Amino acid sequence: MDPPTEGIKLKPEKLDEEKEGGPLLHCDFCDADVVDKIAQSFLPGLASACIDNTTGGLFKTLATVAVDIRKEMIDYLIQRSENFVAESVVLEGGGDVAVSADPYDIISDFVDDFVHSKRNFFSRVSGWLLSEKREDWIDDLVQEMEINGFWLLNRRSTVAQTLLKNLDFRNTYHCNMNFKSPEDLEKHKLNCDFRTLSCGNEGCDSSFSAAQMDHHDSTCPFKMLPCEQKCPDIVMRREMDRHCITTCPMKLVKCPFHSVGCQSTVPQRTIEQHRSDNLPSHMLYILQVSHKEASPEALKQRVKELEKLASPGRLASARDARSLTHVVKDLEAKLGPIKVKTNKGSEEEVKDLIDLQEEKIDTEAKMNVAAKPVKFDEVPAVKEATANSHSDGKKELMESFGDASQRNEDQVIASDSVPEKKKDSSSQSDHSSTEEVVNPIKEVASTPAIHHELSPNE
């Protein structure tokens, strides 16, 4: 029999945490980036499960199975996340499978396993899983769910937070702080590293944890930054590359005189200063093209002459190689041909070549004279000696020629009367008589009286 309860004050039982003097309140902040990433993966998984479960069926439609499959999916994911620690210990003990530490990768595997479990017989045995039409249907169903608000993002985020807390036993992606009073909890939430922040850059609607603020700030495409090429413009990060190669006044461009030899690359805003400062060198490049045979010194002197002749501002007004070439040609027409100066070394080389050529000509002339046969009466010394000789010597000389010719005639007449057998002897006599005629000539030509120049008195 129970004792009477009158006069006894009943007191509510204390919770175990309170009996132990432990905290009662927990901080529920999680890494917003990871939660959002996990929540975004739910709709494609749900759409895949619905399509694979109804493909080839006659009585099932997407609208009739979507609600049931969503509930089954949530229960399946929570159960797998609660058992993940035990499963990971088993897998790591086996040594064959590497367990990922990223909660997004882990939950993605859970979703794939659930989708695989919902495939019907037709989906398993046909090539439906590899067809492009399946992917198109999944994308269309995801878009339809988002438009109709079938599974809102905030509800998906709540499920994602629950899964993340079950998986993150190292407290890397969620806060594990506990507090005794709501005041302490609220005070902590103001400075918690996992509190959710929104980006302050115009156009960016991203949300992230306070611990990820520096990372997001370094990658946010909407942040305004000073130009990387040091121009005064402030440009959005995602527009920086386009600005630097199109409208930036400090972008590097080639010199307008690149075609004639100037290899400089200068900022676009300083191109006028570069053109003005390097006008003499640009003129030199143009002269080198039109006067390839001239020396550098002559071209430099020509540049100075052109600068003196040109009117103020005429050369500076040329903005490119073509216009400056026209100006230089007009000025050169007034100056006349360029003076090409040779150095001492080249003059000596030319002189040596001329001397060698003259020596070669003299040598060839002497060789031609020695090889050419000389007639007796064409020798100047013989002509002079013959003209100035005494009449007696001249008569003797003519008589010797006459006797020789007379003997030749007699021998010719005699040869006609003798037999043919004696013709050889007569020809030999003719040859000897000819030599006799020539010998006196040689003797006369070799006498000292003929070779030396005779004085007027002789």
Side-chain angles (χ1 to χ4, degrees), residues 148-196:
N148 297 328
F150 176 74
W151 195 0
L152 298 178
L153 181 60
N154 58 346
R155 296 184 179 181
R156 284 180 280 150
S157 299
T158 302
V159 177
Q161 289 181 3
T162 302
L163 299 177
L164 182 59
K165 291 177 181 179
N166 293 338
L167 297 174
D168 186 26
F169 56 89
R170 294 188 178 92
N171 302 319
T172 306
Y173 300 98
H174 76 286
C175 181
N176 65 339
M177 299 294 292
N178 302 313
F179 301 92
K180 296 180 180 181
S181 63
E183 292 78 9
D184 294 339
L185 177 61
E186 293 300 326
K187 185 178 180 180
H188 164 76
K189 286 184 176 180
L190 296 176
N191 299 306
C192 181
D193 291 338
F194 293 98
R195 69 186 186 276
T196 302

Side-chain angles (χ1 to χ4, degrees), residues 174-399:
H174 76 286
C175 181
N176 65 339
M177 299 294 292
N178 302 313
F179 301 92
K180 296 180 180 181
S181 63
E183 292 78 9
D184 294 339
L185 177 61
E186 293 300 326
K187 185 178 180 180
H188 164 76
K189 286 184 176 180
L190 296 176
N191 299 306
C192 181
D193 291 338
F194 293 98
R195 69 186 186 276
T196 302
L197 300 178
S198 298
C199 181
N201 296 322
E202 184 179 357
C204 182
D205 56 356
S206 299
S207 298
F208 46 87
S209 299
Q212 302 295 327
M213 183 176 62
D214 294 338
H215 173 71
H216 175 79
D217 186 71
S218 63
T219 59
C220 179
F222 294 92
K223 184 175 181 179
M224 303 300 292
L225 299 172
C227 176
E228 295 177 352
Q229 298 181 149
K230 310 303 181 184
C231 86
D233 295 344
I234 304 298
V235 187
M236 194 178 294
R237 177 180 276 121
R238 67 177 184 175
E239 300 290 339
M240 185 64 70
D241 293 340
R242 181 174 176 272
H243 166 77
C244 290
I245 63 177
T246 55
T247 61
C248 180
M250 292 298 292
K251 70 175 181 179
L252 295 179
V253 296
K254 292 182 179 180
C255 174
F257 298 89
H258 176 79
S259 59
V260 294
C262 185
Q263 302 298 323
S264 301
T265 54
V266 295
Q268 187 177 20
R269 67 183 302 176
T270 62
I271 193 68
E272 295 293 338
Q273 185 66 30
H274 169 78
R275 187 186 293 115
S276 176
D277 295 341
N278 296 272
L279 179 60
S281 61
H282 294 161
M283 294 174 61
L284 185 62
Y285 287 135
I286 292 175
L287 292 175
Q288 287 176 347
V289 175
S290 58
H291 302 286
K292 297 180 180 180
E293 74 284 353
S295 63
E297 292 75 12
L299 294 179
K300 292 179 181 179
Q301 182 62 31
R302 188 68 162 188
V303 169
K304 295 179 180 179
E305 295 174 357
L306 293 173
E307 290 178 338
K308 293 180 180 179
L309 180 63
S311 59
R314 184 180 181 185
L315 293 173
S317 63
R319 304 182 61 84
D320 52 23
R322 183 177 181 180
S323 57
L324 185 59
T325 301
H326 289 316
V327 175
V328 169
K329 287 184 178 180
D330 293 342
L331 296 176
E332 281 197 306
K334 300 177 182 180
L335 291 176
I338 191 172
K339 297 179 181 179
V340 180
K341 296 181 180 180
T342 58
N343 51 25
K344 295 182 179 179
S346 60
E347 292 179 354
E348 293 178 355
E349 292 177 359
V350 172
K351 185 177 181 180
D352 294 339
L353 291 175
I354 294 174
D355 295 341
L356 292 174
Q357 188 67 19
E358 291 178 352
E359 292 179 0
K360 183 177 179 180
I361 294 173
D362 294 341
T363 303
E364 291 178 354
K366 291 179 181 179
M367 292 176 65
N368 292 334
V369 172
K372 183 178 180 181
V374 181
K375 296 181 180 181
F376 173 73
D377 54 352
E378 291 180 356
V379 177
V382 174
K383 288 182 180 181
E384 187 176 358
T386 304
N388 296 326
S389 62
H390 296 87
S391 59
D392 294 338
K394 183 176 181 180
K395 290 180 179 180
E396 293 177 357
L397 183 61
M398 297 301 296
E399 289 177 358

Side-chain angles (χ1 to χ4, degrees), residues 95-148:
D96 297 333
V97 180
V99 179
S100 175
D102 188 355
Y104 173 77
D105 294 338
I106 297 172
I107 295 176
S108 296
D109 293 339
F110 293 166
V111 173
D112 292 340
D113 293 342
F114 175 77
V115 173
H116 187 271
S117 67
K118 302 306 291 182
R119 292 172 183 170
N120 59 18
F121 179 76
F122 179 81
S123 299
R124 294 176 186 273
V125 300
S126 66
W128 170 252
L129 299 178
L130 301 178
S131 64
E132 295 181 356
K133 189 175 182 180
R134 175 180 179 268
E135 300 297 329
D136 295 338
W137 282 17
I138 292 174
D139 294 339
D140 293 341
L141 183 57
V142 169
Q143 186 176 3
E144 185 178 354
M145 289 179 177
E146 290 179 345
I147 294 174
N148 297 328

Side-chain angles (χ1 to χ4, degrees), residues 77-107:
L77 294 177
I78 293 176
Q79 183 181 0
R80 287 290 303 271
S81 64
E82 291 174 348
N83 299 330
F84 171 74
V85 176
E87 291 179 1
S88 62
V89 171
V90 173
L91 293 175
E92 290 179 354
D96 297 333
V97 180
V99 179
S100 175
D102 188 355
Y104 173 77
D105 294 338
I106 297 172
I107 295 176

